[in-house]
Coordinates of all heavy atoms in Angstrom, one line a residue:
L67 N -19.8 -2.6 1.6 CA -20.3 -4.0 1.4 C -20.4 -4.6 2.8 O -19.5 -4.3 3.6 CB -19.4 -4.8 0.6 CG -19.2 -4.6 -0.9 CD1 -18.4 -5.6 -1.5 CD2 -20.6 -4.6 -1.7
R87 N -21.0 -10.7 -8.6 CA -21.0 -11.5 -7.5 C -19.8 -12.4 -7.2 O -19.3 -12.5 -6.2 CB -22.3 -12.4 -7.5 CG -22.4 -13.4 -6.3 CD -23.4 -14.6 -6.6 NE -22.9 -15.3 -7.9 CZ -23.8 -16.2 -8.6 NH1 -24.9 -16.4 -8.0 NH2 -23.3 -16.8 -9.6
D88 N -19.4 -13.0 -8.4 CA -18.3 -14.0 -8.4 C -17.0 -13.2 -8.1 O -16.2 -13.7 -7.3 CB -18.2 -14.7 -9.7 CG -19.4 -15.6 -9.9 OD1 -20.2 -15.8 -9.0 OD2 -19.6 -16.1 -11.1
F89 N -16.9 -12.0 -8.7 CA -15.7 -11.3 -8.4 C -15.6 -10.8 -7.0 O -14.5 -10.9 -6.4 CB -15.8 -10.0 -9.4 CG -14.5 -9.0 -9.2 CD1 -13.3 -9.4 -9.7 CD2 -14.7 -7.9 -8.5 CE1 -12.3 -8.6 -9.6 CE2 -13.7 -7.0 -8.2 CZ -12.4 -7.4 -8.9
I90 N -16.7 -10.3 -6.5 CA -16.6 -9.9 -5.1 C -16.3 -11.1 -4.2 O -15.6 -11.0 -3.2 CB -18.0 -9.2 -4.7 CG1 -18.1 -7.9 -5.3 CG2 -18.2 -9.1 -3.2 CD1 -19.4 -7.1 -5.2
Q91 N -17.0 -12.2 -4.4 CA -16.7 -13.4 -3.7 C -15.3 -13.8 -3.6 O -14.7 -14.1 -2.5 CB -17.6 -14.6 -4.1 CG -17.9 -15.5 -2.9 CD -17.9 -17.0 -3.3 OE1 -18.6 -17.3 -4.3 NE2 -17.2 -17.8 -2.5
K92 N -14.7 -13.8 -4.8 CA -13.2 -14.2 -4.9 C -12.3 -13.1 -4.2 O -11.4 -13.6 -3.4 CB -12.8 -14.3 -6.3 CG -11.5 -14.9 -6.6 CD -11.3 -15.2 -8.1 CE -10.0 -14.8 -8.6 NZ -9.7 -13.4 -8.9
G93 N -12.6 -12.0 -4.3 CA -11.8 -11.0 -3.6 C -12.0 -10.7 -2.2 O -11.1 -10.4 -1.5
T94 N -13.2 -10.8 -1.7 CA -13.6 -10.4 -0.4 C -14.0 -11.6 0.5 O -14.1 -11.5 1.7 CB -14.7 -9.4 -0.4 OG1 -16.0 -10.1 -0.7 CG2 -14.5 -8.3 -1.3
G95 N -14.5 -12.7 -0.1 CA -15.0 -13.8 0.6 C -16.4 -13.5 0.9 O -17.2 -14.5 1.5
L96 N -17.0 -12.4 0.6 CA -18.5 -12.2 0.8 C -19.3 -12.9 -0.2 O -19.1 -12.8 -1.4 CB -18.8 -10.7 0.9 CG -18.3 -9.8 2.0 CD1 -18.4 -8.4 1.7 CD2 -18.9 -10.2 3.3
E97 N -20.3 -13.7 0.3 CA -21.2 -14.4 -0.7 C -22.4 -13.6 -0.8 O -23.4 -13.9 -0.2 CB -21.4 -15.8 -0.4 CG -20.1 -16.6 -0.4 CD -20.3 -18.1 0.0 OE1 -21.4 -18.6 -0.4 OE2 -19.4 -18.6 0.6
L98 N -22.5 -12.6 -1.8 CA -23.7 -11.8 -1.9 C -24.8 -12.5 -2.7 O -24.5 -13.2 -3.6 CB -23.4 -10.4 -2.6 CG -22.2 -9.6 -2.0 CD1 -22.2 -8.2 -2.6 CD2 -22.4 -9.4 -0.4
F157 N -13.3 -0.1 -5.7 CA -13.0 -0.8 -4.5 C -11.5 -0.8 -4.3 O -10.8 -0.5 -5.1 CB -13.4 -2.4 -4.6 CG -14.8 -2.6 -4.4 CD1 -15.7 -3.0 -5.5 CD2 -15.4 -2.5 -3.1 CE1 -17.0 -3.2 -5.2 CE2 -16.8 -2.7 -2.9 CZ -17.6 -2.9 -4.1
E160 N -7.0 -4.5 -3.2 CA -6.9 -5.8 -2.7 C -8.0 -6.8 -3.2 O -7.9 -8.0 -3.2 CB -7.0 -5.9 -1.1 CG -5.8 -5.4 -0.4 CD -5.7 -3.9 -0.3 OE1 -6.5 -3.2 -1.0 OE2 -4.9 -3.3 0.4
I161 N -9.1 -6.2 -3.7 CA -10.2 -7.0 -4.1 C -9.8 -7.8 -5.4 O -10.5 -8.8 -5.7 CB -11.5 -6.1 -4.5 CG1 -12.7 -7.0 -4.5 CG2 -11.3 -5.4 -5.7 CD1 -14.0 -6.2 -4.3
E162 N -8.7 -7.4 -6.0 CA -8.2 -8.1 -7.2 C -7.6 -9.5 -6.9 O -7.3 -10.3 -7.8 CB -7.3 -7.2 -8.0 CG -7.9 -6.0 -8.7 CD -8.8 -6.3 -9.8 OE1 -8.6 -7.3 -10.5 OE2 -9.7 -5.5 -10.1
G163 N -7.2 -9.6 -5.7 CA -6.6 -10.8 -5.3 C -7.5 -11.9 -4.7 O -8.7 -11.7 -4.7
A164 N -7.0 -12.9 -4.1 CA -7.8 -14.0 -3.6 C -8.0 -13.5 -2.1 O -7.1 -13.2 -1.4 CB -7.2 -15.3 -3.6
G165 N -9.3 -13.4 -1.7 CA -9.6 -13.0 -0.4 C -9.5 -14.1 0.6 O -9.0 -15.2 0.2
P166 N -10.1 -14.0 1.8 CA -10.8 -12.9 2.3 C -9.6 -12.0 3.0 O -8.5 -12.4 3.3 CB -11.7 -13.3 3.4 CG -11.1 -14.7 3.8 CD -10.3 -15.2 2.7
H167 N -10.0 -10.7 3.2 CA -9.0 -9.7 3.9 C -9.9 -9.2 5.0 O -10.6 -8.1 4.8 CB -8.7 -8.6 2.9 CG -7.8 -9.0 1.9 ND1 -6.4 -9.1 2.0 CD2 -8.0 -9.3 0.5 CE1 -5.8 -9.5 0.8 NE2 -6.8 -9.6 -0.1
P168 N -10.1 -9.9 6.2 CA -10.9 -9.3 7.2 C -10.6 -7.9 7.6 O -11.4 -7.3 8.2 CB -10.8 -10.4 8.3 CG -9.7 -11.3 7.9 CD -9.4 -11.1 6.4
I170 N -10.0 -5.5 5.9 CA -10.4 -4.3 5.0 C -11.8 -4.1 4.9 O -12.7 -5.0 5.0 CB -9.9 -4.7 3.5 CG1 -8.4 -4.7 3.4 CG2 -10.5 -3.7 2.5 CD1 -7.9 -5.1 2.1
W172 N -14.7 -3.0 2.7 CA -14.9 -2.9 1.3 C -15.9 -1.7 1.0 O -17.1 -2.0 0.6 CB -15.5 -4.2 0.8 CG -14.5 -5.3 1.1 CD1 -14.6 -6.3 2.1 CD2 -13.3 -5.5 0.4 NE1 -13.5 -7.2 2.0 CE2 -12.7 -6.7 1.0 CE3 -12.6 -4.8 -0.6 CZ2 -11.4 -7.2 0.7 CZ3 -11.3 -5.3 -1.0 CH2 -10.8 -6.5 -0.3

Side-chain angles (χ1 to χ4, degrees):
L67 293 182
R87 178 198 59 196
D88 296 347
F89 178 76
I90 288 176
Q91 204 214 316
K92 188 168 142 273
T94 70
L96 290 169
E97 292 181 35
L98 304 189
F157 283 107
E160 286 84 347
I161 201 163
E162 294 287 335
H167 293 273
I170 292 175
W172 299 107

